[in-house]
Amino acid sequence: MSNPSILILPGDGIGPEVMAEVRKVIGWYGEKRDLNFDLSEDLVGGAAYDAHGTPLTDETMAKAQAVDAVLLGAVGGPAYDDLDFSVKPERGLLRLRKEMDLFANLRPAQCFDALADFSSLKKNVVSGLDIMIVRELTSGSYFGEPRGIFDLPDGQREGINTQRYTTNEIRRVARAAFELAKKRGNKLCSMEKANVMESGILWREEVTWVHENEYPEVELSHMYADNGAMQLVRWPKQFDVIVTDNLFGDILSDCAAMLTGSLGMLPSASLGVLMENGRPKAMYEPVHGSAPDITGQGKANPIACILSFAMALRYSFDQGAEAERLENAIETVLADGARTADLLGPEDGSPISTGEMGDAIIAALGASL
Ligand code: NAD
């Protein structure tokens, strides 16, 4: 059997810095756990634009389609702000998501105990929090037609976006969410606005259909998305898995993510249909961007990117126990007081560097054996 393959796309800004720490972790798994991957690396975003005049070449796109999983750092930066929209770094990312048809975006919001004080909510509200938001990523109002800005006969202008969903689009993301719920707390909450939107009525009906026909053993509830936003900050621990559309998911997942503190801690996975080998099309990436304000200074927190690799272990490579080992190592390092600058207040002592955080995690992994 050949090793599973991973395409590494470090990207721009702090992307390469945090990805270097992920490489250390991947190396450790090869050496100590006999878990080997065929790694390849390529350019995306501004780095690809500088080399090739495009944020993602056709060759890189073909490689991404061929591997078992893509691991991406971050794209963008001030040097590219004035580029034409069609070649902006973010277009590389959107092309990957679109052509790989990554319709389910998984955003965990997990509060490490050592960081519970870092949340803007009270410690007892967030301590031990572990929820997963599944956002539909390839349809809804960010893609629906008609869209555009149009001139009206009376001289005004009109901006239009269209919220549309089909049966299949709803059912496939619902299935992804039910599958996750089965592996976690067996509870799924679906959020929409069925009180005021027809697309919300269809969403509720189709999620209910999938529940009744395919996952009756999972506990399903429905909630209007505005109430969902309130409940997320009131008592987030009532949730296990949440499934929602592209627009509401964009907002709700950012809200849930911030319950846990720093942007430097947040991983994500985007999954598509199952490939012939039984693995889903998949891309793993931290939620944060390229952080130009701290690039090249050794200040970036590599944990979001390392946790994204943990998600790859769990969702692409069926290595749930090893994913847990990695998450526990991070928990240990944080409990021991290791902090990059983003995890410290102004009077909280001195930070460690990106590389030191990576080394501390490797040491904790070593101690777990
Ligand atoms: P950002 O996420 O890059 O940074 C926001 C703030 O969080 C900054 O102060 C940054 O220093 C800090 N931060 C982010 N990640 C961190 C980490 N790992 N460790 C420590 N601190 C961290 O968002 P932004 O400043 O709005 O955008 C910068 C660039 O990144 C823009 O070009 C934007 O388009 C791009 N961007 C890319 C992605 C992506 O690649 N997925 C996502 C968001 C933004």
Side-chain angles (χ1 to χ4, degrees):
M1 284 258 293
S2 60
N3 297 325
S5 55
I6 300 180
L7 172 63
I8 294 182
L9 299 173
D12 308 321
I14 62 167
E17 299 171 39
V18 293
M19 199 58 87
E21 303 312 308
V22 176
R23 275 189 173 271
K24 286 183 190 167
V25 172
I26 295 176
W28 183 87
Y29 274 102
E31 213 173 292
K32 305 289 187 194
R33 304 297 300 154
D34 204 19
L35 204 56
N36 292 291
F37 298 94
D38 286 339
L39 302 181
S40 52
E41 183 167 322
D42 214 329
L43 302 174
V44 68
Y49 178 81
D50 289 341
H52 305 296
T54 169
L56 188 79
T57 64
D58 292 344
E59 292 73 32
T60 311
M61 186 67 238
K63 280 188 208 167
Q65 293 283 20
V67 292
D68 293 316
V70 176
L71 216 52
L72 186 134
V75 298
Y80 310 103
D81 280 353
D82 296 330
L83 288 182
D84 185 73
F85 188 66
S86 63
V87 288
K88 274 193 183 294
E90 291 75 8
R91 301 304 296 175
L93 192 53
L94 292 177
R95 182 175 177 199
L96 283 161
R97 288 179 183 158
K98 187 165 192 291
E99 293 192 19
M100 292 170 74
D101 198 13
L102 303 173
F103 59 83
N105 183 220
L106 278 52
R107 294 266 302 259
Q110 195 177 4
C111 188
F112 290 93
D113 271 349
L115 297 182
D117 281 330
F118 220 76
S119 170
S120 53
L121 296 188
K122 292 194 189 83
K123 190 168 179 172
N124 73 319
V125 176
V126 293
S127 167
L129 178 73
D130 179 9
I131 62 181
M132 175 75 81
I133 300 207
V134 181
R135 165 190 172 193
E136 200 289 328
L137 202 59
T138 53
S139 186
S141 39
Y142 294 169
F143 294 93
E145 298 283 348
R147 64 183 296 167
I149 298 176
F150 303 96
D151 291 322
L152 295 175
D154 67 357
Q156 295 190 76
R157 293 192 302 158
E158 179 181 47
I160 299 181
N161 292 92
T162 304
Q163 165 84 332
R164 57 162 292 290
Y165 271 104
T166 63
T167 300
N168 287 349
E169 285 168 346
I170 300 168
R171 286 186 186 181
R172 67 180 186 172
V173 73
R175 283 189 188 103
F178 277 115
E179 284 294 333
L180 276 170
K182 267 172 59 175
K183 291 183 192 144
R184 296 170 43 100
N186 215 36
K187 245 170 60 172
L188 178 64
C189 181
S190 170
M191 294 187 186
E192 27 57 16
K193 290 279 288 176
N195 48 344
V196 286
M197 297 171 76
E198 284 75 9
S199 56
I201 296 173
L202 184 74
W203 184 278
R204 189 175 284 219
E205 288 175 359
E206 294 302 341
V207 173
T208 303
W209 187 94
V210 175
H211 178 235
E212 285 172 355
N213 290 280
E214 299 176 20
Y215 298 93
E217 71 280 19
V218 177
E219 186 188 322
L220 172 68
S221 60
H222 301 276
M223 199 177 269
Y224 298 137
D226 49 343
N227 183 29
M230 279 198 292
Q231 296 299 330
L232 270 174
V233 289
R234 189 184 72 83
W235 190 241
K237 285 189 250 183
Q238 68 185 283
F239 298 112
D240 176 23
V241 180
I242 293 171
V243 64
T244 188
D245 74 18
N246 202 343
L247 172 60
F248 296 138
D250 192 1
I251 297 161
L252 292 170
S253 63
D254 266 17
C255 171
M258 270 297 113
L259 300 174
T260 68
S262 167
L263 207 47
M265 297 291 300
L266 299 168
S268 80
S270 301
L271 307 180
V273 294
L274 294 185
M275 299 184 283
E276 264 174 25
N277 60 12
R279 297 192 170 108
K281 285 259 177 209
M283 181 158 76
Y284 299 89
E285 55 183 313
V287 168
H288 63 72
S290 58
D293 53 334
I294 57 166
T295 296
Q297 301 171 35
K299 287 185 180 166
N301 183 349
I303 292 180
C305 204
I306 294 174
L307 285 172
S308 301
F309 175 66
M311 291 186 85
L313 286 174
R314 181 172 285 121
Y315 297 117
S316 281
F317 304 123
D318 216 11
Q319 294 285 347
E322 294 300 339
E324 213 163 294
R325 179 194 299 280
L326 183 49
E327 289 158 356
N328 289 341
I330 291 170
E331 175 98 63
T332 304
V333 164
L334 293 171
D336 288 347
R339 299 280 187 276
T340 41
D342 57 308
L343 303 177
L344 287 172
E347 283 154 25
D348 284 348
S350 48
I352 61 171
S353 69
T354 310
E356 286 167 335
M357 181 59 97
D359 292 343
I361 292 167
I362 296 291
L365 279 170
S368 76
L369 293 176

